[in-house]
Amino acid sequence: MKAAQFTAHLRSLAATLACALAATFAVMLGGIGAAQAAATIVIVNLNAPGEGFNDPTPAAPVGGNTGTTLGAQRLIAFQRAASIWGATLDSPVTIRIGAAFVPLSCTASGAVLGSAGAAEIWTDFPNAPRANTWYPAALASKLAGADLTAPEEPHIIARFNSRLGLFPDCLPGSPFYLGLDRRANGQIDLVTVLLHEMAHGLGFQTFTDDETGELFFGIPSIWDYFLVNNRNNMPWVAMTDEQRRISAITWRGLSWNGPNVTAAVPRVLAPRSNLNIGGANAGAARGDYYVGDASFGPPVGARAVSGQLMPVVDQPNGTGLACTPLSFNNALAVRNNIALVDRGSCDFVTKARNVQAAGAIGMLVVDNVPGDVIGLSGADPSIRIPSLRITLSDGVAIKAALQQRSRTMSGVIATFGIDPTRLAGTDRQRRILMYSPSINQPGSSVSHYTTEAKPNQLMEPSINADLRHVVRPPYDLTFPLLRDIGW
């Protein structure tokens, strides 16, 4: 089974989180905590003594987490995430999550954060809403009204990196943030990661191969009934393997067609951000462009930000990275204008900070590799200017219009605004798009929401600094999707 990936962008580093369907698990050492609510969720400690949840390393309380050891703080963070899901779900069957912190693959610049997913999947169980259809264990047991999983086994398996940020070869200086107050300040918020991963284990994923389109043992997932090709409204369950394979790499081509999500979309998502290029010298570049929003700085709103588009040029090849304070000539060019910079060499927040210090009123980032448009990650409350991102191909077209310019004027006007006719991350029927990049990303593709949603959603394939510890409207669309599949 392909894994789903959850990517954390941290400073200029990327860390991947595989959301795998687990087939085996460690011997259980006993339940260590439960969240009592509409559903009871028990965290089952799979760690050996002295490791993971049992790590005795002293730790100072942080962000409302009162644990005094590293292991205790990890458990408290797990219990917080479990309590949020427990208060949201409804099930007569106790949901068991087998969890452990263990060493996972890392480097100084990237790491596997962890993995989580359903430990079993079921079909044709008592009271199954659809015959010949895969359901994850926790949901199947809820629908059956009885626990289908052996009592000594978990419904969900979760493993997370015990070395993250604590060693020179594993994202040094960037450990999991164990506070409960969402003040991660550039670290990786563990409660957010747990909420995301628990959702995968509860059923926020297909068991159909997202790379080949092949059904698992020839049987569709409940997910496949609601995933549709928005070009022809054909659901995944009705497609051939080849049709599913192609649809999974059709950018903006897959939508979720579930009634609960679609009803909630207008309450949760904001209008789509838009870049308009105009002005006397715009030429062939004139028009509207799809953009990726920034997780830092003010969001693009109804009051448009407009100005001369001026490129930063600080590299011998004519590109502008803006990774250091701008030179006199570059500062003169961008002052009171919108700065055009290139992706690369440093994080997006550093670029924004430097062009803002030079007096720019906005920043437009051009990607440095081919691909689909995605957002700008990072966090810095001092950023006061809006930032957007465009694809490499769009950047090439716009740069062509900037060839004839003076030191302070280009005759090309960039306007950061919104398209009031479209909600961010939706198709023309206002159904939320799923993540289907044109190059398949095993584990990330299909089983996540689009990265174009605004505000950012928990179940995008990336951790964003503005995520709340919530899973339902008016902030988030995770629970409506779980309701669609049967929760």
Side-chain angles (χ1 to χ4, degrees):
M1 177 61 59
K2 290 290 182 181
Q5 291 182 340
F6 190 26
T7 302
H9 294 287
L10 177 62
R11 300 182 186 142
S12 61
L13 309 177
T16 59
L17 177 65
C19 315
L21 177 69
T24 60
F25 50 89
V27 176
M28 291 191 289
L29 302 178
I32 56 176
Q36 298 286 342
T40 299
I41 299 179
V42 173
I43 309 301
V44 180
N45 184 353
L46 303 183
N47 276 127
E51 298 178 352
F53 287 118
N54 308 313
D55 191 322
T57 303
V62 58
N65 190 326
T66 58
T68 57
T69 67
L70 181 57
Q73 288 191 356
R74 288 167 171 166
L75 172 58
I76 290 171
F78 260 80
Q79 290 173 321
R80 171 58 64 90
S83 70
I84 292 170
W85 273 120
T88 303
L89 302 173
D90 180 18
S91 177
V93 177
T94 296
I95 301 168
R96 296 181 297 279
I97 302 177
F101 276 83
V102 295
L104 297 175
S105 175
C106 337
T107 68
S109 59
V112 174
L113 303 183
S115 64
E120 299 174 333
I121 56 177
W122 290 80
T123 184
D124 296 313
F125 49 87
N127 301 321
R130 292 184 183 271
N132 201 42
T133 301
W134 291 120
Y135 289 80
L139 176 56
S141 293
K142 168 207 161 61
L143 295 171
D147 199 347
L148 302 176
T149 297
E152 69 276 9
E153 298 179 357
H155 303 95
I156 298 170
I157 291 290
R159 297 189 312 148
F160 296 89
N161 200 330
S162 61
R163 303 183 72 248
L164 187 74
L166 304 178
F167 296 86
D169 64 344
C170 193
L171 278 180
S174 302
F176 282 121
Y177 177 69
L178 302 179
L180 311 179
D181 58 357
R182 298 193 300 113
R183 297 181 179 178
N185 295 324
Q187 295 180 339
I188 300 171
D189 188 282
L190 180 59
V191 174
T192 297
V193 172
L194 294 172
L195 289 171
H196 176 107
E197 289 306 308
M198 288 178 185
H200 280 307
L202 293 165
F204 202 108
Q205 65 179 134
T206 183
F207 304 113
T208 297
D209 194 303
D210 58 74
E211 189 170 15
T212 67
E214 184 179 359
L215 301 176
F216 191 58
F217 282 92
I219 297 174
S221 304
I222 182 60
W223 181 277
D224 302 345
Y225 287 88
F226 300 98
L227 191 67
V228 298
N229 178 333
N230 56 42
R231 308 294 200 267
N232 58 18
N233 283 322
M234 181 182 289
W236 253 36
V237 72
M239 295 181 190
T240 64
D241 291 356
E242 178 64 7
Q243 287 172 325
R244 280 187 288 268
R245 185 194 70 79
I246 293 173
S247 69
I249 53 173
T250 302
W251 183 239
R252 301 190 185 95
L254 284 179
S255 299
W256 186 263
N257 197 33
N260 289 288
V261 172
T262 300
V265 158
R267 293 195 291 134
V268 175
L269 299 182
R272 179 175 70 86
S273 297
N274 184 68
L275 167 67
N276 178 266
I277 296 295
N281 293 340
R286 187 183 307 275
D288 295 319
Y289 292 81
Y290 279 99
V291 294
D293 289 283
S295 60
F296 53 87
V300 173
R303 178 176 291 182
V305 174
S306 186
Q308 301 271 339
L309 184 63
M310 295 295 291
V312 172
V313 180
D314 57 15
Q315 301 299 305
N317 64 359
T319 60
L321 298 178
C323 290
T324 57
L326 269 57
S327 67
F328 174 83
N329 285 340
N330 278 317
L332 182 65
V334 305
R335 187 172 301 126
N336 298 319
N337 294 323
I338 292 177
L340 181 75
V341 304
D342 294 281
R343 177 188 175 194
S345 295
C346 64
D347 59 84
F348 301 120
V349 167
T350 297
K351 297 175 188 289
R353 193 182 298 123
N354 286 329
V355 300
Q356 175 179 279
I361 61 173
M363 179 178 75
L364 183 62
V365 177
V366 178
D367 215 332
N368 58 357
V369 293
D372 308 303
V373 69
I374 58 175
L376 298 168
S377 59
D380 185 344
S382 71
I383 302 299
R384 303 180 304 279
I385 62 173
S387 300
L388 296 175
R389 182 174 178 174
I390 56 175
T391 64
L392 175 61
S393 60
D394 287 344
V396 169
I398 292 171
K399 285 181 177 182
L402 295 172
Q403 294 304 305
Q404 301 298 321
R405 65 181 187 277
S406 70
R407 284 193 174 186
T408 58
M409 296 184 64
S410 65
V412 177
I413 306 300
T415 301
F416 291 4
I418 60 171
D419 179 353
T421 68
R422 295 286 297 274
L423 295 176
T426 65
D427 63 19
R428 294 193 179 278
Q429 297 185 43
R430 288 196 161 192
R431 299 174 299 192
I432 191 167
L433 298 170
M434 306 307 290
Y435 187 59
S436 57
S438 54
I439 298 176
N440 181 267
Q441 296 185 17
S444 288
S445 293
V446 179
S447 291
H448 291 90
Y449 284 140
T450 176
T451 57
E452 295 183 89
K454 186 175 69 172
N456 289 310
Q457 295 296 293
L458 174 68
M459 296 311 293
E460 294 180 30
S462 303
I463 295 176
N464 292 290
D466 58 345
L467 291 175
R468 301 167 179 259
H469 292 169
V470 294
V471 297
R472 61 194 310 165
Y475 301 109
D476 192 75
L477 293 167
T478 305
F479 182 53
L481 186 145
L482 293 182
R483 288 188 64 200
D484 281 338
I485 67 171
W487 279 101

